[in-house]
Amino acid sequence: MRPPPLLLLPLLLQLGGRGLAAPPADSLSQLPAPQNPKIHLHKTKQVLSWEPVSLDNDTRPVVYRVQYKYSTSNDWFNVDISEAHVWVNCTKITSTECNFTPTSLSKGFPPHFNISLRVRAELEGRVSDWVTVPWFQHFRNVTIGPPENIWVTPGDGSLIIRFYPPFDIEASSKATFVYYVRYWEREGIQQVKGPFRSNVIVLKDLKPLRTYCLQVNAQLSVTEPDISRVGHWSSITCHETIVDASTELQQIILIAVGTFLLLSVLAGGCFFLVLKYRSLIKHWFQSPPSIPLQIEEYLKDPAQPILEALEQDSSPKDDAWDSVSIVSFPGKE
Ligand SMILES: *[C@@H]1O[C@H](CO)[C@@H](O)[C@H](O)[C@H]1NC(C)=O
Ligand SMILES: *[C@@H]1O[C@H](CO)[C@@H](O)[C@H](O)[C@H]1NC(C)=O
Ligand SMILES: *[C@@H]1O[C@H](CO)[C@@H](O)[C@H](O)[C@H]1NC(C)=O
Ligand SMILES: *[C@@H]1O[C@H](CO)[C@@H](O)[C@H](O)[C@H]1NC(C)=O
C-alpha cells in the first residue's frame, strides 16, 4: 500500500498554517455558533453541513471556517485550497456545507482515517465557538446501500445475478466487498448463499419453470483497521427459471418412453387376463344363439302365416283401432 500523502500534511501545516487556526483574542462580542453540524457519508460522499447563523441587527454575511483533525494529531487544520490533498476551500465561505467528496481534483479524506471536523461562524474579527461533529472513519460510518444495477438472467434451473458494488473502493485500500444472496421459492423457505467475492453469482440446482424471489446485499470488510459492515438488502425481485432446449427434448423423450412403457404394461396385463380367463370369456361370447320367439313358434307350426302372426303380436292396440276406422269410413258414405 502506498503511503497516503495526507499523513505528512499535519506536519507541514503545523509549521505553516497555525496562525489561521488561532481565533483573534480581541473579539468584540461572540457570534452564535452554527447549529446541527452533520457529516453525510454515503457511497464516496463526504459532506459536512450545518444550519446558517443569522444576526437580527446585522445584514453583513456571516462566513464559516471548517477545520479537520486526525486522531493521530492534536492540532486542527484549515480546510483550504492550498492543501494538496483535500483541494477544497472551506475557509471564509458563505455556504453552509463543505464537500470533501473525492473528485478528479481532490481525493477527499482517506476512508480508513479517523477524522474529526469542526466549524465556526466569523464576521469581521468576531467569531463563534467551534462546534464539532463526532469523529468518523468513512469505512466505519458510511451507509452501505444494496449492490447496484442488479441484473438477473434466468438460466436452465438456475439464475445468474450480476450487479455493481454499492460504491467503488480504491484497490489500494485494504477493503473488499463480499456478497450474499437470499432467495426463496414463493411461500418457500429462505436460503442464504455466500460470501461471494465476484459480482456475478450463479444460483444453481433450482427447479426449472419455477419462480424464485431474491435479494442481494454487500458486506464491507476492512483489514486495517479491522472493520466489518453489513449493507442493506436490495429490494425483492422475482424471476422464473427456464428449461433449455436440450432438457426440454430430454423431458419429451422421457414422457414418450414413459407413456410407451405404461401402455405396454397395460397391454401385457390385458393379454395376461385374457389368457387366464380364456374359458370364462369364451363362455360369455359363445353362448348358444337364441331364435326369436315368433320364428320359433312359426318353425313349430308353419301353417300359421308368419307375417300375420308377427302383426298380431307386435302391433299395439291403438294401431289396430286406427286401421279399423279407416277401413269402415268409406263404407258409411
Ligand atoms: C446586535 O444585537 C446584539 C444583541 O441582540 C448585540 O449584542 C450586538 O452588539 C448587536 N450588533 C450590532 C452590530 O449592532
Ligand atoms: C478516533 O479518534 C477519536 C479522537 O479523535 C477517538 O476518541 C476514537 O476512539 C477514535 N476511533 C477509533 C476507532 O480509533
Ligand atoms: C475560499 O473561498 C472564500 C469565499 O469564496 C474566499 O474569500 C477565499 O479567498 C478562498 N480562499 C482561498 C485560499 O482560495
Ligand atoms: C461513526 O461510528 C462510530 C461507531 O462505529 C460512532 O461512535 C461515531 O459517532 C460515528 N460517527 C458519526 C459522525 O456518525
Side-chain angles (χ1 to χ4, degrees):
M1 183 185 153
R2 93 189 118 81
L6 253 187
L7 279 175
L8 296 171
L9 276 169
L11 273 173
L12 294 172
L13 286 159
Q14 220 161 332
L15 301 170
R18 205 158 223 178
L20 286 168
D26 58 342
S27 47
L28 302 163
S29 58
Q30 253 203 341
L31 292 176
Q35 296 297 300
N36 290 326
K38 281 190 193 100
I39 179 85
H40 178 66
L41 305 169
H42 186 244
K43 297 190 179 189
T44 56
K45 255 192 207 156
Q46 305 176 340
V47 182
L48 174 71
S49 62
W50 56 90
E51 281 168 17
V53 168
S54 59
L55 303 170
D56 302 336
N57 51 6
D58 206 324
T59 50
R60 287 171 301 171
V62 176
V63 292
Y64 305 95
R65 181 188 298 267
V66 177
Q67 294 191 330
Y68 72 90
K69 183 175 92 72
Y70 294 132
S71 62
T72 48
S73 141
N74 287 321
D75 296 296
W76 292 88
F77 303 99
N78 286 323
V79 176
D80 203 287
I81 199 87
S82 63
E83 283 189 36
H85 193 89
V86 175
W87 274 110
V88 284
N89 172 15
C90 297
T91 301
K92 293 187 182 295
I93 53 164
T94 49
S95 78
T96 56
E97 65 165 46
C98 184
N99 191 343
F100 302 98
T101 308
T103 61
S104 52
L105 287 176
S106 160
K107 294 188 80 181
F109 291 116
H112 52 286
F113 273 30
N114 181 342
I115 317 281
S116 295
L117 292 173
R118 64 182 189 178
V119 60
R120 76 174 180 194
E122 298 183 353
L123 180 62
E124 297 195 343
R126 294 162 65 207
V127 297
S128 75
D129 281 338
W130 289 105
V131 279
T132 309
V133 284
W135 63 270
F136 71 92
Q137 277 170 307
H138 194 86
F139 280 154
R140 194 184 294 276
N141 294 87
V142 67
T143 321
I144 303 173
E148 304 220 310
N149 295 0
I150 301 168
W151 182 256
V152 181
T153 320
D156 176 25
S158 66
L159 291 172
I160 303 152
I161 310 161
R162 293 182 177 84
F163 47 82
Y164 289 117
F167 55 88
D168 290 328
I169 40 187
E170 266 191 52
S172 60
S173 58
K174 294 189 173 170
T176 46
F177 278 120
V178 294
Y179 304 98
Y180 289 84
V181 187
R182 183 153 83 182
Y183 67 98
W184 60 96
E185 228 183 303
R186 276 200 206 283
E187 281 129 40
I189 302 158
Q190 281 193 354
Q191 298 195 59
V192 178
K193 285 235 168 106
F196 298 98
R197 297 202 157 267
S198 158
N199 46 3
V200 178
I201 297 174
V202 183
L203 288 181
K204 279 179 267 186
D205 304 325
L206 304 181
K207 292 173 203 147
L209 301 175
R210 295 292 182 89
T211 300
Y212 289 86
C213 296
L214 60 86
Q215 289 176 290
V216 189
N217 89 338
Q219 293 192 11
L220 177 70
S221 48
V222 187
T223 50
E224 247 177 69
D226 195 10
I227 296 172
S228 179
R229 300 278 317 286
V230 178
H232 295 297
W233 287 101
S234 63
S235 47
I236 299 168
T237 57
C238 301
H239 313 268
E240 198 183 337
T241 55
I242 55 168
V243 185
D244 88 3
S246 69
T247 317
E248 207 164 16
L249 191 68
Q250 274 175 19
Q251 279 186 343
I252 289 169
I253 292 171
L254 217 67
I255 290 169
V257 169
T259 312
F260 177 76
L261 283 178
L262 191 74
L263 289 177
S264 304
V265 166
L266 278 177
C270 285
F271 184 66
F272 174 76
L273 284 176
V274 166
L275 277 187
K276 188 164 183 192
Y277 298 106
R278 188 163 38 184
S279 53
L280 194 65
I281 290 165
K282 222 181 228 165
H283 173 74
W284 286 340
F285 284 99
Q286 296 183 355
S287 58
S290 61
I291 301 165
L293 202 64
Q294 287 96 12
I295 294 176
E296 206 178 309
E297 270 168 17
Y298 170 73
L299 288 176
K300 276 184 199 155
D301 182 13
Q304 196 183 0
I306 184 154
L307 289 174
E308 249 171 57
L310 283 174
E311 219 161 64
Q312 254 180 14
D313 273 34
S314 64
S315 12
K317 279 244 151 94
D318 283 357
D319 284 354
W321 274 107
D322 276 354
S323 70
V324 167
S325 66
I326 288 163
V327 168
S328 63
F329 187 70
K332 262 186 188 171
E333 278 202 356

